Amino acid sequence: MAGSRARRNRPACSVRDPSLGFDADAWQRFAAGLARVISRCRDRGYEPTFHPETGTHVEAPWEIERVLEVSDVGLCLETGHMLLGGGDPVAMLRDLGDRVNHVHLKDARLPVMAEIIADEAPVTEIWTGRATAQPRVPRGAGAVNEMRGLPPWLRSVLVLSAPGGWAALICGPWLAQTE
């Protein structure tokens, strides 16, 4: 996980406080390392995808955009992490859609996410404490439910997604319950 103790202890805060992000030198080092990874993937016949992650140096929309500026890597539209990082997945797909080559659609209780951000809870509390303490999202009660009942923002994600691309509905703590 590309992060720091400060980022792991204050996930989703860089959207409001850019000083928590990389400085110019760190972005140069990041870009150089990412270029090596991208090259190695392509040398082996793989097309790489960057997956933003909560509690790292790439979670806020401005950080995701910066990764795309310093590289030609594809982007995983990861709705759960983007929402938690302060982004709007539909707007990001609209604005960055030509770079999206993988999609993870996560269901979530948006009020719980807002509470986590407001409390500035550490990543460990999000994934192991509060997340598991909350009952799973009952079918139809989260941001995503069954296909016929998708909320408008998720319907837009699916409509705007390129045909033939990848999409995964991820279930986990505070996410959609499956039978």
Side-chain angles (χ1 to χ4, degrees):
M1 186 185 296
S4 68
R5 184 176 309 238
R7 291 303 292 262
R8 287 187 300 276
N9 287 336
R10 295 185 64 210
C13 291
S14 66
V15 70
R16 294 180 310 279
D17 183 1
S19 71
L20 293 171
F22 284 146
D23 62 19
D25 290 337
W27 276 113
Q28 285 183 335
R29 290 190 306 275
F30 179 88
L34 183 57
R36 285 191 301 275
V37 170
I38 292 168
S39 176
R40 287 180 182 171
C41 288
R42 289 182 178 150
D43 287 349
R44 290 163 176 79
Y46 300 106
E47 186 55 37
T49 300
F50 190 87
H51 180 287
E53 183 68 40
T54 301
T56 70
H57 283 282
V58 184
E59 65 175 350
W62 70 269
E63 293 165 319
I64 295 167
E65 291 166 5
R66 185 72 177 127
V67 167
L68 299 180
E69 288 170 13
V70 301
S71 73
D72 65 347
V73 71
L75 175 65
C76 175
L77 182 77
E78 215 302 2
T79 59
H81 293 288
M82 288 179 174
L83 286 166
L84 190 54
D88 174 349
V90 173
M92 294 180 86
L93 182 59
R94 182 188 60 240
D95 298 342
L96 308 172
D98 60 329
R99 298 290 291 278
V100 172
N101 63 359
H102 197 90
V103 177
H104 289 179
L105 301 174
K106 288 190 178 178
D107 198 359
R109 289 185 177 167
L110 299 181
V112 171
M113 292 179 101
E115 199 176 286
I116 289 166
I117 292 167
D119 291 349
E120 295 184 2
V123 170
T124 54
E125 184 180 333
I126 293 169
W127 303 137
T128 61
R130 184 175 307 174
T132 56
Q134 293 286 336
R136 291 186 181 266
V137 178
R139 188 175 302 279
V144 178
N145 55 30
E146 296 181 37
M147 293 298 284
R148 67 182 179 279
L150 292 176
W153 71 267
L154 187 52
R155 248 186 256 108
S156 297
V157 167
L158 294 174
V159 168
L160 294 171
S161 295
W166 285 87
L169 180 61
I170 310 296
C171 297
W174 59 272
L175 305 177
Q177 180 176 326
T178 59
E179 296 178 344

